[in-house]
Amino acid sequence: MTPESRGARSPQLSARQRAAITKRLSGIAATMATAATAEMEQRHEWFTNLDAEHRSWVGVVARAGIDGFITWFADPEAASSGLEVFSTAPRALARHISLHQTVELVRTTIEVVETKLQELLPRGDRPVAQVAIINYSREIAFAAAEVYARAAETRGAWDARLEALVVDAVVRGETDESVLSRASTMGWTATSAVAVAVGASPNGDDPRLGELLRRTAGRQHVDVLSATQGDRLVLVLGGDALGETDSGLALVGQLLDFFGPGPVVLGPAVDHLVDASSSARSALSGLRAAVAWPEAPRPVSSADLLPERALAGDGHARRALAYDVFGPLAEAGGGLLETLVAFLDAGTSIEGAARGLFVHANTVRYRLRRIAEVTGFNPSDPRDAYVLRMALTLGRLVGPQSASGDNR
């Protein structure tokens, strides 16, 4: 195919001449198709590596292309997109043959057809047929690009729906082996910590949202599955960075631009995607309760919203405060519980607490440090003092007798 031939135009033919050449082309169609298949086997290793079924479908496409050329030559004015050539093969073939391989298929078939036209047609027909196959090859090339563009668009839409189903299963606590299999098809490989982050959905509907999220999180070696559920965006994150709350919050901080305005809450890390529903439950509870703490950092851990969640009716938050904060404090002994009560009642005054307990101020300081070690909350910090006060109240309300019955 020379530059001169690319710019050439087919001479005007009478209807009788065109019909005669079309008849001769039909007579050599089978020969050209067989030669094209043989050339592909000899030239392309990827073709020989295909199974028999897909090799046969490639042959069918090649023959359809040759037949399409003959039909097009018979009536060049007829509207044709060239898509009919590729419609003969099943859609599954596009998943086994890349666009690059399809271009090689088209190029090889066209070159074989050009050669056979020179060998098998009468000398007077050759220039006309040569220019025609060049023009037709352009149409086929555009058709191939359109087929793969449509396939990519369809695959992208299906992937988004599949991803949304996986995230929805995690939120509803219905994660099973089938969900894990679906997640793996989306590129999920995390086998360490998993956590869920939720916030307002972004303005607009950007079809590239999932891809951009995966690319950004991937730089931190973190897997992500995302879904927009109404007015909220839910992210399921997996990777070593989620193992520690601070590093998890730092990671989500890099993804804040993908959320809409308002609070973004990160649930606690769990060991596996199967257990991620508990993280999602905590994160969603935190998102609902975050309105009660307007000064909360963004993002914020669901554990930092325990008081607001408890007041909003979250039974899990109430039990966490009662058993995970108040419980260890009560079991520790050493006057820690009494010191905390006295300290809070004295307006967080060390001297006031010491007078109330009839102990030295340094004793109060020591016990306050022990309280922070046991509970993870510093009584001298206003926010932590609020959490501890709530834990004291709930710990007294939710006693051992009601532990098994508090399921609200």
Side-chain angles (χ1 to χ4, degrees), residues 65-77:
I66 293 171
D67 290 342
F69 164 62
I70 296 172
T71 302
W72 177 84
F73 181 85
D75 186 8
E77 301 301 324

Side-chain angles (χ1 to χ4, degrees), residues 183-184 186-192 221-224 238-239:
S184 66
M186 302 302 303
W188 182 273
T189 60
T191 57
S192 54
H221 308 289
V222 171
D223 291 341
V224 60

Side-chain angles (χ1 to χ4, degrees), residues 34-56:
T34 302
T37 303
E39 185 66 19
M40 279 185 276
E41 289 180 348
Q42 188 174 18
R43 187 183 297 187
H44 305 300
E45 184 178 355
W46 62 263
F47 180 78
T48 58
N49 291 334
L50 293 174
D51 57 41
E53 179 184 2
H54 290 104
R55 281 201 306 273
S56 67

